[in-house]
Amino acid sequence: MDIKGKAVAITGGASGLGAGVARRLAAQGAKVGILDLNETAGEAIAAEIGGTFAKCDVASEESATAALDKLEAAHGTASVLVNCAGIGTASRIVGRNGPMDLSAFERVIRVNLIGTFNMMRLAADRMQKLEPGEFGERGVIISTASVAAFEGQIGQAAYAASKGGIVALTLPAAREFTKIGIRVLTIAPGLFKTPLMDELPEDIQQGLANSIPFPSRLGTPDDFAHLAQSLIENPYINGEVIRLDGALRMQPK
């Protein structure tokens, strides 16, 4: 799909990986919509790239529908959805003080997995009404998993489960959407330089970077965005989960 002139919706687009995707796709001529709960940061990114911001709780049908309505009024129906919204938590299933708080597990699953599914179903319903392009393609949906889906570390049970769910969702969604011309893909990033990573001391960040085989550095939001752009543009990639990790394989802890 040629991204130029296409409407794009990016969840979690106010910072980190989502902001990286927003900047890159806008530079390619896309009409970018930022969906996020952070209004200040979201409005700033939208202003920077000439896009549109809509406040959105991805796990809420009402909020997501209203946000997509706003973007559609500004740019037309989105041909591309990039799901970058997500949260994490660090907790053992059973710790010194007893079992993990169930509500903490539910919150991560709700935002990461249910939020991804919610946005996918709502965006795909709109995409199927678009006129098909080359090869009958109407849309592309890219979600964000993590290497934790495959090598979740101790303390990552909730996060790994949520990202593993996104991985498992990819192929059945791609198979279902063949009849309406929508490709479904997932990127599973490794260690990336995001606002969460920036909270760690510099020596810890460098130690993590050194653990990556090659290149031995943290990934950048534009590394992620570059792959997202390539997936959008290549019409033959579908139903795939692609690791973006510099050959990193996470250890138990």
Side-chain angles (χ1 to χ4, degrees), residues 1-10 30-33 35 67-81 119-131 138-141 182:
M1 177 183 290
D2 182 358
I3 195 64
K4 187 175 182 180
K6 296 293 193 306
V8 176
I10 304 171
K31 296 179 288 187
V32 176
L35 292 82
L68 289 173
D69 284 344
K70 180 178 179 180
L71 297 188
E72 193 167 300
H75 301 154
T77 300
S79 299
V80 176
L81 168 68
M119 296 304 305
M120 177 185 290
R121 71 188 184 93
L122 295 175
D125 180 53
R126 295 170 188 242
M127 288 178 188
Q128 71 174 332
K129 302 177 179 69
L130 292 169
E131 286 298 315
R138 289 185 171 88
V140 180
I141 296 173
I182 298 172

Side-chain angles (χ1 to χ4, degrees), residues 17-114:
L17 302 181
V21 175
R23 291 185 173 105
R24 176 173 273 269
L25 296 189
Q28 304 305 311
K31 296 179 288 187
V32 176
I34 305 293
L35 292 82
D36 207 294
L37 284 174
N38 189 328
E39 294 182 77
T40 301
E43 292 282 10
I45 294 291
E48 173 192 331
I49 64 173
T52 299
F53 171 75
K55 186 174 181 179
C56 180
D57 174 358
V58 294
S60 163
E61 179 170 11
E62 180 180 342
S63 177
T65 298
L68 289 173
D69 284 344
K70 180 178 179 180
L71 297 188
E72 193 167 300
H75 301 154
T77 300
S79 299
V80 176
L81 168 68
V82 184
N83 284 310
C84 290
I87 60 171
T89 187
S91 178
R92 290 175 179 255
I93 300 170
V94 179
R96 293 178 179 176
N97 298 320
M100 178 181 180
D101 184 358
L102 185 59
S103 64
F105 184 88
E106 289 176 332
R107 181 169 178 265
V108 174
I109 296 296
R110 178 170 176 77
V111 174
N112 294 358
L113 180 54
I114 294 177

